[in-house]
Structure formats: structure tokens, C-alpha cells
Amino acid sequence: MIPGEMKARLASAWTASCAFVVRHRLWFGAGIGALLPLAVLLVWLGASLPISRALEPLPNRALILLDDQGRPFARRGAYKEAPVVIKALPKHVPAAFIAIEDRRFYHHLGVDFGGMARALVVNARAGRTVQGGSTITQQLAKNAFLKPERSLRRKGQEAMIALWLELRLSKDEILSRYLSSIYFGDGVYGLGAAARHYFGKPPEQLSIGEAAMLAGMVKAPVDLDPVDHPQAAGARARLVLDAMVETKAITHEQADAAGHVTVTTTRADLPVGGYFADWISPQVKSAFDGPGYGEVRVPTTLDGRLQRIVERVVAADMKGAAKAKVGQVAVVALRPDGRVVAMLGGTNYRQTPFNRAVQAQRQPGSAFKLFVYLAALRDGATPDNLVIGDPVTIGGWTPANYEGGSGRDLTIRDAFAQSNNIIAARVYQQAGGPAVVQAARDLGIVSPLRADDATLALGTAETSLLELTSAYAAVASGKTPLRPFGTPTGAQAPTGELDPGQRAALLDLLGAVVEEGTGRAARLGQKAYGKTGTTQDYRDALFVGFTGDLVVGVWVGNDDHSPMNHMVGGALPARIWRDVMAAGLKAGLVARDAPPEPRYRPVEPEAVEEAPRPRHVPKWLRRIFGL
């Protein structure tokens, strides 16, 4: 329906046109012929206009991610609120936008030919684009219906849609839709969302200065963002206030009194961890698909306090990492039930948002031996079994120890604690590749693994830090397989559990690593369990382990896979792990009680020497010693 004010304007224009035709019949006939090509052009433009597109809300609402205490820590997606009602706004709010964007808004039919002519003259004199000739109606047409391209055809479409909008809507309705859809930077669309985002209030409560600052942002939302560019935004707001004085929307006194505008919402409030937000957002977004206004607040498992501890510890411990040629670090922390409570995917999210805790596939090194020895335990081995340490060759591959030694027989416990490669390869050979792969699968490893590749014993198959840490969490909980999750509703109940005796033996092995093995740098004031990992040429170094009710995995390395300077898993990764756990214990975020004591009890050496040879020798031992 055509509004009453528009009907009157059209009726007046129609009467004047008829009178002109009567007075100038001959000239009018000639004009018809001249205007015919223009009419054809307008029909062609009109036929391709996307008039059927509605002025709808954004396709998806913004997600506000909350930590486990209900505090927001990140926002993902664009944010837009319901359309504003012009009559409900203070007069100075719409006046600010009209003054700086389209002073003749209430006096044109969508296209201001006089304004366009003035802009052309000013721009020609300046030798560059100084003024724009688009009206508010044209800007609405461009933003709501057209693609952001520069062409005469699109400019013609913009004018056609503007005329169509003027016929269909009242001036206040056009202004409402314009204010409700324009972009204000930082993923914020519309005046309602902008008022809350930058000033923490509804648009109906905006002051003159705040309205001027928002109106000034329309020209360049990114460059005039009051958070990142406060001086530029303030200078632009001053221009808007001057324009409001010129249009008599406010007085000089009111402009002077607008004073300094304080932005109350800053990005420092969001997020605590961008890497976690990037990881969890796609998982929760599908649950809130569909157009709508406003935002959706989504609870997550992130512990903001632990996240800050991780970030603080890494920043401190990485200060001396330059000499070691360590470029990046990744940390992931889980509860034994699979809840991801902290995540760090790199040293600087703004510079490198690539999430090395989730997206990077790197070799775990000796941290993979957990699965090798689990396969051996399933085959009848115990931590006290002695394994010969002579060099072994498997399919043309001869492993070597990190320290270069060989030939010393060790118990499984000592071999695991010292991360002996030769014995790990021998154990892998005896347990069998398929059994090792199955052990890894049972604990939750889903990355590709080749059972016919003996180097798998030393962790040459790539996996993510999150995946590896989740496998260690399965040992901590005894539940398998354990799938990490980031929302309270995302948990998947484990379908199995570790054999109690085998789990006790694994705890014994993992505890020995920290107490007397390669992970001594991770020792705490309470029982801790973990495993170091270092890959060939020092390209990756890891420490993964748990104490109390927290499981943490740490990786350090370089994105280009370049070698570090003799960095091993028992050095910086173990220290970061220890410092995170120590800070967590002090803050009461890590349980003081350790996991249940292992049921496995080692046999005293004297008993081994005096005991008669058992009637039944496990098949695992028979293969090792050829019995």
C-alpha cells in the first residue's frame, strides 16, 4: 500500500505532468521518441532486479560462548537485533545519521539528483572521491538487495530499487530498515546491536555523542571502529556533531556538551581462548541454524581460570625458548571424563589462528609407546618382566636409542621410564603390529595407523595433540574409548573399560616416567603420571600426563617442521606441564587426591631369584626368550 504522504506527492506530480503535456503537445511527442530508449533500459534493469528478496534478519544468530561458570568468553558470527522503531528513538539519533549521510532524505524520491551533481563537482575539483551521492534509500537498496560490485548496471539497479522502496514504504519505515541493517564493524549489524556492543545500552538510551559516533562509523566501519581506532572515531564524531548543528538538529551548546564518549564494551572482555572458540563453534552452530535476531548463549566446558593459567604459564616458560629454536607451543587440558577445559593452539591467536592442538597432525614420538606396552600387557607381560636390550632389526629397520647405547637388559618398567627405543621396537615385534594398532584404537586414536610399519613403535604415525591427550585421559579414567567434548551436551558415553590389572600396570609405568625416568622435570608434590615424546631431529617434543582430576598434553615445535635445538619432551614440555599443574593445584582447580593407587605390586628381586621356574610361562615371555 502506498503511504498517504506519497500519494499526495504522486498526485501533485501527475497533475503537473498532465498540464505540461497539454501545453507542449508537439515537444512532448518528440520527447517520447527520445525517451523510448531510456524506457527500454529501465525495463531491462527492472526485469533483473531482485525485488522478491525480503529485508530479513541474518541467516544465523550470533553465538555467545560461555565458560563453565556461565561467563561469556567469545562471540562467533554476526550480531543483529530486531529493527528499531524510529518514533521510539530520541530525535537526535536518526538526526545524526541524516545529517552526515543524507540531509535531503525527507525531500527526495529515493535518488537525490542535486546531491549527485554536487558530489560530482566536489570530487572533480578534489581529483578524488570526497563525497558520495547515494541517498539513505539507495544505501538500503544496495545493502539489502545487491552484491558489492562497482558497475553502471548495478548503479542503475540501485536507483530503481530506491524508487521502488519509496513507493512501497514511508520515510520512517525506510529509515528504520536502513538503521537496522547497516554494518557497524566487528560483525555487528544494525543500530540496536551496535548500541549494545559499543555502549552496553539499547538504542533508545543513546546520548547525542554516542549517536554521533555510531553515525560516523557508517562511512568506514573498520577504520572508524572506536575500539581499534578511538582517535579517528572521535574526530569523525566531531564532524557529525558539526553537521547536526548545521541542519539545526542540535544547538552549538548541545554539540559542545556531547563531550568525550566512552566505549564500554571492548574486545578485552572476549575471548579468553580463541582457539577453543574456533574448535567448538562449528559443533554447536548447527544446533542454532536458521534466521533470527539477537544472539544465542551457549554453555561450554571451558574453565576460564585454567585457560588463563595455561596462557600465563606458556608466556612465562616460552621466554627462554628462542635459544632452543622453539617457535610454537600447543596445550590441551581435559578432565578424565573427556571435558576439554583449556586449549591453546599457538603462542599468539591474532597472528596465527591455526590451532596446533587440534588441526596440526604431528608425530607423537615415544608418547605413542603407551599403546605398544598396553599391547604387551594384554599379551601377558608385567612391568617386572626383563627384556633383552640387544640391537634388533625389523624388516631392514634398526632402531637406536636416544643416548646411543644398547645391549643392556631392562625391565619393562625401566625401559618405559627411560624411553628405550630398542626395547620398545622388540616389544612391538613380539606383541605384533595389529595388536598395537588395536590398543591405540581402543583408547580412542582414530588417525591412520599402519600395522605393517614397525617404526610405529617409536611414534612415527601422525596424530593431533587433542587425540593423543584423550587417549591418556582414557587411562586416567579407565573408560574407553574417550571422546573429547566441549559442551555439556556433547559427551559420548564410553562403551568399554580398561582391564583393571592392565590399567594398574600402565599407571605403574607412567608413574615411573615421572619419578625416575625421562619425565622427572614434571614431578609435583603428589603422584603424577605421564610420558615424554621426542621425534627425529628434534622436530617435535611432547609431554602428556595426568594428576588428580586433570589430564594435560603439551607440544612444542615449529610450523615448518624445522629442527629445534636439542629440545626433548622431558625439558620445556614437561616444565610447562608441571607449572600448569602446580598453578592449578594452588588455585584449587586440580584435585589433591591422585587417581587410585595401582593394584599392581612389583615382586621383590630376592623372590625372583629364589622362586622356582613356574610351570606355565606366558607366551609373550616364551617369544622374547625363545622358550
Side-chain angles (χ1 to χ4, degrees):
M1 179 179 294
I2 299 176
E5 62 177 295
M6 185 60 68
K7 285 183 179 180
R9 289 155 64 189
L10 288 175
S12 177
W14 175 255
T15 302
S17 298
C18 290
F20 178 83
V21 170
V22 171
R23 290 195 303 268
H24 305 280
R25 290 187 293 274
L26 293 177
W27 287 102
F28 182 73
I32 288 292
L35 292 175
L36 185 59
L38 178 60
V40 173
L41 175 63
L42 292 176
V43 170
W44 173 70
L45 287 171
S48 59
L49 289 178
I51 295 296
S52 61
R53 287 184 57 182
L55 300 177
E56 297 176 345
L58 295 173
N60 297 290
R61 289 174 290 176
L63 299 179
I64 304 299
L65 302 179
L66 311 176
D67 66 13
D68 62 350
Q69 301 298 310
R71 294 170 297 203
F73 68 89
R75 174 173 54 84
R76 285 295 180 272
Y79 175 35
K80 183 179 183 181
E81 289 194 353
V84 295
V85 178
I86 298 301
K87 294 187 181 302
L89 298 173
K91 291 183 178 180
H92 60 259
V93 174
F97 291 86
I98 291 174
I100 197 67
E101 291 295 320
D102 185 4
R103 297 188 184 185
R104 285 175 39 79
F105 172 68
Y106 284 105
H107 305 288
H108 58 66
L109 287 174
V111 180
D112 187 359
F113 295 103
M116 293 174 63
R118 285 192 301 272
L120 287 173
V121 172
V122 173
N123 294 338
R125 289 175 177 174
R128 59 188 177 91
T129 302
V130 177
Q131 292 185 7
S134 294
T135 65
I136 283 178
T137 313
Q138 286 176 279
Q139 292 183 50
L140 174 61
K142 175 180 62 178
N143 296 334
F145 294 102
L146 300 172
K147 295 180 180 180
E149 62 182 41
R150 292 180 177 272
S151 66
L152 290 175
R153 180 173 179 271
R154 203 219 63 172
K155 199 66 178 177
Q157 289 180 321
E158 179 185 300
M160 290 288 291
I161 297 176
L163 291 172
W164 173 75
L165 290 172
E166 292 277 352
L167 291 172
R168 292 290 303 274
L169 304 171
S170 69
K171 286 290 186 178
D172 280 358
E173 288 172 326
I174 292 173
L175 187 57
S176 171
R177 282 157 175 76
Y178 167 76
L179 293 177
S180 302
S181 61
I182 50 177
Y183 185 54
F184 285 94
D186 200 24
V188 176
Y189 289 84
L191 181 62
R196 295 187 187 279
H197 180 68
Y198 291 109
F199 301 112
K201 60 177 63 173
E204 292 80 9
Q205 297 178 10
L206 288 172
S207 68
I208 293 176
E210 293 165 345
M213 180 164 286
L214 292 180
M217 291 180 64
V218 175
K219 179 182 179 181
V222 176
D223 295 335
L224 296 173
D225 186 315
V227 177
D228 291 335
H229 308 285
Q231 292 184 344
R236 178 67 175 173
R238 186 71 248 177
L239 291 177
V240 176
L241 291 172
D242 292 342
M244 294 175 71
V245 172
E246 292 176 9
T247 57
K248 295 182 171 49
I250 59 174
T251 64
H252 283 285
E253 292 74 19
Q254 287 176 309
D256 293 337
H260 178 70
V261 174
T262 301
V263 178
T264 58
T265 301
T266 68
R267 289 180 189 83
D269 299 325
L270 304 172
V272 171
Y275 293 105
F276 180 91
D278 288 349
W279 171 67
I280 196 61
S281 293
Q283 303 175 44
V284 301
K285 185 178 179 181
S286 59
F288 304 103
D289 279 344
Y293 294 113
E295 60 192 27
V296 178
R297 300 173 76 83
V298 182
T300 72
T301 60
L302 183 76
D303 188 323
R305 298 162 297 176
L306 269 175
Q307 179 68 34
R308 287 186 286 273
I309 286 176
V310 168
E311 294 175 352
R312 185 173 64 250
V313 165
V314 168
D317 289 353
M318 283 288 286
K319 287 182 178 179
K323 296 180 181 178
K325 297 182 179 179
V326 178
Q328 287 295 337
V329 60
V331 180
V332 63
L334 295 81
R335 296 299 182 186
D337 60 359
R339 281 176 292 156
V340 179
V341 291
M343 180 181 290
L344 190 70
T347 56
N348 190 309
Y349 177 77
R350 283 185 174 267
Q351 292 180 1
T352 55
F354 178 72
N355 193 335
R356 295 156 190 83
V358 177
Q359 297 171 285
Q361 294 287 309
R362 305 296 289 250
Q363 293 181 355
S366 293
F368 191 86
K369 291 175 182 176
L370 175 75
F371 314 115
V372 176
Y373 284 89
L374 174 57
L377 294 172
R378 287 177 170 179
D379 199 27
T382 69
D384 289 308
N385 289 152
L386 196 67
V387 184
I388 58 177
D390 293 340
V392 61
T393 298
I394 308 173
W397 171 62
T398 303
N401 290 326
Y402 165 71
E403 68 279 3
S406 65
R408 191 161 66 97
D409 298 347
L410 296 172
T411 64
I412 283 181
R413 179 188 299 103
D414 290 340
F416 189 82
Q418 297 173 22
S419 204
N420 188 290
N421 290 338
I422 294 176
I423 290 180
R426 189 178 290 276
V427 170
Y428 178 91
Q429 181 185 39
Q430 298 302 326
V436 173
V437 170
Q438 187 58 53
R441 297 285 184 238
D442 290 343
L443 292 187
I445 297 296
V446 296
S447 294
L449 302 174
R450 289 185 55 185
D452 60 346
D453 183 2
T455 65
L456 184 65
L458 305 187
T460 58
E462 294 181 340
T463 183
S464 72
L465 181 64
L466 176 61
E467 187 179 357
L468 184 66
T469 308
S470 299
Y472 276 72
V475 178
S477 66
K479 306 296 182 182
T480 63
L482 200 68
R483 304 300 182 199
F485 61 95
T487 63
T489 59
Q492 299 182 30
T495 57
E497 61 181 44
L498 278 174
D499 176 85
Q502 295 167 9
R503 176 174 176 267
L506 286 178
L507 291 174
D508 185 55
L509 299 181
L510 293 167
V513 172
V514 178
E515 290 300 320
E516 58 199 53
T518 58
R520 292 189 297 274
R523 282 183 291 191
L524 291 164
Q526 66 179 38
K527 188 68 175 178
Y529 309 83
K531 184 69 185 77
T532 58
T534 307
T535 65
Q536 191 172 19
D537 297 327
Y538 306 100
R539 299 180 190 277
D540 305 273
L542 305 94
F543 187 87
V544 187
F546 49 90
T547 188
D549 59 349
L550 190 64
V551 187
V552 175
V554 181
W555 166 90
V556 300
N558 294 301
D559 287 339
D560 60 0
H561 291 261
S562 60
M564 295 176 287
N565 187 10
H566 295 277
M567 177 57 65
V568 296
L572 179 60
R575 291 197 299 271
I576 291 175
W577 186 93
R578 177 201 62 202
D579 293 345
V580 168
M581 290 297 192
L585 284 165
K586 183 177 181 180
L589 302 176
V590 180
R592 284 286 177 184
D593 55 318
E597 283 296 319
R599 298 182 184 180
Y600 173 78
R601 291 291 184 270
V603 180
E604 295 297 328
E606 306 83 67
V608 174
E609 295 175 356
E610 298 174 0
R613 183 170 180 168
R615 294 181 181 177
H616 172 71
V617 180
K619 58 181 181 179
W620 189 86
L621 281 176
R622 291 201 300 272
R623 288 199 299 268
I624 288 285
F625 294 103
L627 299 177

